[in-house]
Short mmCIF file of all heavy atoms in Angstrom, two decimals:
data_model
loop_
_atom_site.label_atom_id
_atom_site.label_comp_id
_atom_site.label_asym_id
_atom_site.label_seq_id
_atom_site.Cartn_x
_atom_site.Cartn_y
_atom_site.Cartn_z
N SER A 119 229.44 12.66 122.06
CA SER A 119 229.97 12.57 123.42
C SER A 119 230.67 13.89 123.73
O SER A 119 230.86 14.71 122.84
CB SER A 119 230.95 11.41 123.52
OG SER A 119 232.03 11.64 122.64
N ILE A 120 231.00 14.06 125.00
CA ILE A 120 231.65 15.31 125.41
C ILE A 120 233.12 15.04 125.69
O ILE A 120 233.45 14.23 126.57
CB ILE A 120 231.01 15.86 126.71
CG1 ILE A 120 229.50 15.98 126.56
CG2 ILE A 120 231.67 17.18 127.12
CD1 ILE A 120 229.03 17.23 125.90
N GLY A 121 233.99 15.68 124.95
CA GLY A 121 235.43 15.47 125.12
C GLY A 121 236.11 16.67 125.75
O GLY A 121 236.75 17.47 125.05
N ILE A 122 235.92 16.80 127.05
CA ILE A 122 236.61 17.88 127.77
C ILE A 122 237.77 17.28 128.56
O ILE A 122 238.92 17.64 128.36
CB ILE A 122 235.65 18.62 128.73
CG1 ILE A 122 234.44 19.17 127.98
CG2 ILE A 122 236.40 19.75 129.45
CD1 ILE A 122 233.38 19.78 128.87
N SER A 123 237.44 16.35 129.49
CA SER A 123 238.44 15.84 130.43
C SER A 123 239.61 15.16 129.73
O SER A 123 239.45 14.46 128.72
CB SER A 123 237.78 14.84 131.39
OG SER A 123 236.73 15.47 132.07
N GLU A 124 240.77 15.38 130.28
CA GLU A 124 242.00 14.70 129.85
C GLU A 124 242.71 14.24 131.12
O GLU A 124 242.39 14.72 132.21
CB GLU A 124 242.87 15.67 129.05
CG GLU A 124 242.19 16.13 127.75
CD GLU A 124 243.03 17.13 126.95
OE1 GLU A 124 244.23 17.29 127.26
OE2 GLU A 124 242.47 17.72 126.02
N PRO A 125 243.65 13.31 130.98
CA PRO A 125 244.29 12.79 132.19
C PRO A 125 244.80 13.90 133.12
O PRO A 125 244.62 13.83 134.33
CB PRO A 125 245.43 11.95 131.65
CG PRO A 125 244.97 11.51 130.30
CD PRO A 125 244.15 12.64 129.77
N ALA A 127 243.77 17.03 132.96
CA ALA A 127 242.79 18.11 133.03
C ALA A 127 241.45 17.56 133.49
O ALA A 127 240.62 17.15 132.69
CB ALA A 127 242.63 18.80 131.66
N GLY A 128 241.26 17.47 134.79
CA GLY A 128 240.00 17.01 135.37
C GLY A 128 239.25 18.22 135.87
O GLY A 128 238.66 18.96 135.08
N SER A 129 239.32 18.45 137.17
CA SER A 129 238.69 19.65 137.72
C SER A 129 239.29 20.89 137.07
O SER A 129 238.60 21.87 136.82
CB SER A 129 238.94 19.72 139.23
OG SER A 129 238.30 18.64 139.86
N ASP A 130 240.56 20.80 136.79
CA ASP A 130 241.25 21.94 136.16
C ASP A 130 241.14 21.79 134.65
O ASP A 130 242.11 21.48 133.97
CB ASP A 130 242.72 21.93 136.60
CG ASP A 130 243.49 23.10 135.99
OD1 ASP A 130 242.84 24.01 135.42
OD2 ASP A 130 244.72 23.09 136.09
N ASN A 131 239.94 22.02 134.11
CA ASN A 131 239.78 21.73 132.68
C ASN A 131 240.45 22.76 131.77
O ASN A 131 240.54 22.58 130.58
CB ASN A 131 238.33 21.46 132.27
CG ASN A 131 237.35 22.29 133.04
OD1 ASN A 131 237.65 23.43 133.38
ND2 ASN A 131 236.20 21.72 133.35
N LYS A 151 241.73 12.12 125.38
CA LYS A 151 240.56 12.47 126.19
C LYS A 151 240.26 11.32 127.14
O LYS A 151 240.52 10.16 126.81
CB LYS A 151 239.35 12.74 125.30
CG LYS A 151 239.50 13.95 124.40
CD LYS A 151 239.44 15.23 125.20
CE LYS A 151 239.75 16.46 124.36
NZ LYS A 151 239.86 17.67 125.20
N THR A 152 239.71 11.62 128.29
CA THR A 152 239.37 10.54 129.21
C THR A 152 237.97 10.73 129.77
O THR A 152 237.39 11.81 129.65
CB THR A 152 240.42 10.43 130.33
OG1 THR A 152 240.16 9.23 131.07
CG2 THR A 152 240.37 11.61 131.28
N PHE A 153 237.43 9.67 130.36
CA PHE A 153 236.07 9.69 130.92
C PHE A 153 235.04 10.15 129.90
O PHE A 153 234.11 10.86 130.24
CB PHE A 153 236.00 10.58 132.16
CG PHE A 153 236.60 9.93 133.36
CD1 PHE A 153 237.80 10.39 133.88
CD2 PHE A 153 235.98 8.86 133.96
CE1 PHE A 153 238.38 9.77 134.98
CE2 PHE A 153 236.54 8.25 135.07
CZ PHE A 153 237.74 8.70 135.59
N CYS A 154 235.24 9.74 128.66
CA CYS A 154 234.35 10.21 127.61
C CYS A 154 233.11 9.29 127.58
O CYS A 154 233.19 8.14 127.16
CB CYS A 154 235.10 10.19 126.28
SG CYS A 154 234.28 11.15 125.04
N THR A 155 232.00 9.82 128.09
CA THR A 155 230.78 9.03 128.23
C THR A 155 230.18 8.72 126.86
O THR A 155 230.04 9.62 126.03
CB THR A 155 229.75 9.78 129.10
OG1 THR A 155 230.35 10.01 130.38
CG2 THR A 155 228.47 8.98 129.27
N ASN A 156 229.84 7.46 126.64
CA ASN A 156 229.17 7.00 125.42
C ASN A 156 229.97 7.27 124.14
O ASN A 156 229.38 7.42 123.07
CB ASN A 156 227.77 7.61 125.30
CG ASN A 156 226.85 7.12 126.40
OD1 ASN A 156 227.02 6.02 126.92
ND2 ASN A 156 225.88 7.94 126.77
N LYS A 199 233.20 1.06 135.44
CA LYS A 199 232.70 1.92 136.51
C LYS A 199 231.94 1.16 137.59
O LYS A 199 231.48 0.04 137.38
CB LYS A 199 231.76 2.98 135.92
CG LYS A 199 232.33 3.80 134.79
CD LYS A 199 231.41 4.94 134.43
CE LYS A 199 230.04 4.52 133.95
NZ LYS A 199 230.02 3.71 132.73
N GLY A 201 229.08 2.38 138.91
CA GLY A 201 227.64 2.54 138.66
C GLY A 201 227.39 3.09 137.27
O GLY A 201 228.28 3.08 136.42
N MET A 202 226.16 3.59 137.05
CA MET A 202 225.77 4.15 135.76
C MET A 202 226.09 3.17 134.65
O MET A 202 226.66 3.54 133.61
CB MET A 202 226.52 5.46 135.49
CG MET A 202 226.16 6.55 136.46
SD MET A 202 225.61 7.97 135.54
CE MET A 202 224.48 8.71 136.67
N THR A 205 225.58 3.74 130.89
CA THR A 205 226.46 4.54 130.05
C THR A 205 227.77 3.77 129.89
O THR A 205 228.12 2.94 130.72
CB THR A 205 226.80 5.91 130.68
OG1 THR A 205 227.56 5.70 131.88
CG2 THR A 205 225.55 6.69 131.02
N THR A 207 231.99 4.29 129.17
CA THR A 207 232.97 5.35 129.46
C THR A 207 234.32 4.95 128.87
O THR A 207 234.74 3.79 129.03
CB THR A 207 233.10 5.55 130.98
OG1 THR A 207 231.79 5.70 131.52
CG2 THR A 207 233.91 6.79 131.31
N VAL A 356 228.14 9.23 141.77
CA VAL A 356 228.96 9.93 140.79
C VAL A 356 228.63 11.42 140.70
O VAL A 356 229.45 12.23 140.29
CB VAL A 356 228.85 9.28 139.39
CG1 VAL A 356 227.59 9.73 138.66
CG2 VAL A 356 230.09 9.58 138.56
N ARG A 358 228.57 13.48 142.88
CA ARG A 358 229.48 14.28 143.70
C ARG A 358 230.83 14.48 143.00
O ARG A 358 231.68 15.20 143.49
CB ARG A 358 229.68 13.62 145.07
CG ARG A 358 228.37 13.56 145.87
CD ARG A 358 228.59 12.99 147.25
NE ARG A 358 229.70 13.66 147.91
CZ ARG A 358 230.36 13.14 148.94
NH1 ARG A 358 230.03 11.95 149.43
NH2 ARG A 358 231.35 13.81 149.48
N ILE A 359 230.97 13.80 141.85
CA ILE A 359 232.25 13.88 141.13
C ILE A 359 232.10 14.62 139.80
O ILE A 359 232.87 15.51 139.50
CB ILE A 359 232.82 12.46 140.90
CG1 ILE A 359 233.08 11.79 142.25
CG2 ILE A 359 234.10 12.53 140.07
CD1 ILE A 359 233.43 10.33 142.17
N PHE A 360 231.10 14.21 139.00
CA PHE A 360 231.06 14.90 137.69
C PHE A 360 230.15 16.13 137.71
O PHE A 360 229.47 16.40 138.67
CB PHE A 360 230.84 13.97 136.51
CG PHE A 360 229.50 13.30 136.36
CD1 PHE A 360 228.36 13.80 136.94
CD2 PHE A 360 229.41 12.17 135.54
CE1 PHE A 360 227.14 13.18 136.74
CE2 PHE A 360 228.19 11.55 135.35
CZ PHE A 360 227.07 12.06 135.94
N GLY A 361 230.26 16.89 136.63
CA GLY A 361 229.55 18.16 136.62
C GLY A 361 230.16 19.14 137.61
O GLY A 361 229.49 20.04 138.10
N GLY A 362 231.44 18.95 137.91
CA GLY A 362 232.10 19.75 138.95
C GLY A 362 232.00 19.04 140.28
O GLY A 362 230.89 18.83 140.78
N THR A 363 233.13 18.63 140.85
CA THR A 363 233.11 17.88 142.12
C THR A 363 232.55 18.75 143.24
O THR A 363 232.42 19.97 143.09
CB THR A 363 234.54 17.45 142.52
OG1 THR A 363 235.30 18.63 142.80
CG2 THR A 363 235.22 16.65 141.43
N ASP A 364 232.24 18.09 144.37
CA ASP A 364 231.79 18.84 145.56
C ASP A 364 232.75 19.99 145.84
O ASP A 364 232.35 21.13 146.10
CB ASP A 364 231.80 17.92 146.79
CG ASP A 364 230.64 16.94 146.80
OD1 ASP A 364 229.82 16.99 145.85
OD2 ASP A 364 230.56 16.12 147.75
N GLN A 365 234.04 19.64 145.80
CA GLN A 365 235.05 20.63 146.17
C GLN A 365 235.07 21.80 145.18
O GLN A 365 235.27 22.94 145.58
CB GLN A 365 236.43 19.96 146.23
CG GLN A 365 236.62 19.00 147.39
CD GLN A 365 235.78 17.71 147.24
OE1 GLN A 365 235.52 17.26 146.14
NE2 GLN A 365 235.35 17.17 148.36
N ILE A 366 234.85 21.48 143.91
CA ILE A 366 234.85 22.57 142.92
C ILE A 366 233.63 23.47 143.11
O ILE A 366 233.71 24.68 142.96
CB ILE A 366 234.93 21.99 141.48
CG1 ILE A 366 236.31 21.36 141.25
CG2 ILE A 366 234.62 23.04 140.43
CD1 ILE A 366 237.51 22.31 141.43
N HIS A 369 234.54 25.70 145.74
CA HIS A 369 235.51 26.64 145.18
C HIS A 369 234.78 27.78 144.45
O HIS A 369 235.07 28.96 144.64
CB HIS A 369 236.40 25.84 144.22
CG HIS A 369 237.42 26.62 143.48
ND1 HIS A 369 238.48 27.24 144.11
CD2 HIS A 369 237.57 26.88 142.15
CE1 HIS A 369 239.23 27.85 143.20
NE2 HIS A 369 238.69 27.64 142.01
C1 FAD C 401 231.10 8.43 135.22
C2 FAD C 401 231.84 9.63 134.72
C3 FAD C 401 231.49 10.17 133.49
C4 FAD C 401 232.17 11.28 133.00
N1 FAD C 401 231.85 11.75 131.76
C5 FAD C 401 232.61 12.73 131.22
C6 FAD C 401 232.39 13.12 129.86
O1 FAD C 401 231.52 12.60 129.16
N2 FAD C 401 233.20 14.06 129.33
C7 FAD C 401 234.17 14.65 130.05
O2 FAD C 401 234.85 15.52 129.52
N3 FAD C 401 234.40 14.31 131.34
C8 FAD C 401 233.66 13.35 131.94
N4 FAD C 401 233.90 12.97 133.23
C9 FAD C 401 235.00 13.56 133.95
C10 FAD C 401 234.62 14.44 135.10
O3 FAD C 401 234.18 15.67 134.62
C11 FAD C 401 235.83 14.54 136.01
O4 FAD C 401 235.99 13.27 136.63
C12 FAD C 401 235.69 15.60 137.05
O5 FAD C 401 235.69 16.86 136.46
C13 FAD C 401 236.80 15.53 138.09
O6 FAD C 401 238.05 15.43 137.51
P1 FAD C 401 239.09 14.29 137.96
O7 FAD C 401 238.37 13.02 137.93
O8 FAD C 401 240.28 14.42 137.15
O9 FAD C 401 239.42 14.62 139.46
P2 FAD C 401 240.49 15.64 139.98
O10 FAD C 401 240.26 16.95 139.38
O11 FAD C 401 241.84 15.04 139.85
O12 FAD C 401 240.11 15.72 141.50
C14 FAD C 401 240.58 14.80 142.49
C15 FAD C 401 240.13 15.32 143.84
O13 FAD C 401 240.76 16.60 144.09
C16 FAD C 401 239.78 17.57 144.35
N5 FAD C 401 240.19 18.87 143.82
C17 FAD C 401 240.57 19.17 142.55
N6 FAD C 401 240.81 20.48 142.44
C18 FAD C 401 240.59 21.03 143.65
C19 FAD C 401 240.64 22.35 144.19
N7 FAD C 401 240.97 23.38 143.42
N8 FAD C 401 240.31 22.52 145.48
C20 FAD C 401 239.97 21.47 146.26
N9 FAD C 401 239.87 20.22 145.82
C21 FAD C 401 240.19 19.99 144.52
C22 FAD C 401 238.55 17.05 143.66
O14 FAD C 401 237.36 17.62 144.20
C23 FAD C 401 238.64 15.57 143.91
O15 FAD C 401 238.16 15.29 145.20
C24 FAD C 401 233.20 11.88 133.77
C25 FAD C 401 233.53 11.35 135.01
C26 FAD C 401 232.87 10.23 135.49
C27 FAD C 401 233.25 9.68 136.82
#
Side-chain angles (χ1 to χ4, degrees):
Chain A
S119 61
I120 307 276
I122 304 174
S123 301
E124 297 179 12
S129 296
D130 181 11
N131 35 35
K151 295 289 173 187
T152 189
F153 284 109
C154 196
T155 301
N156 294 332
K199 306 189 298 299
M202 295 236 151
T205 65
T207 310
V356 81
R358 296 184 50 200
I359 299 171
F360 69 21
T363 65
D364 285 359
Q365 290 69 31
I366 291 302
H369 178 66

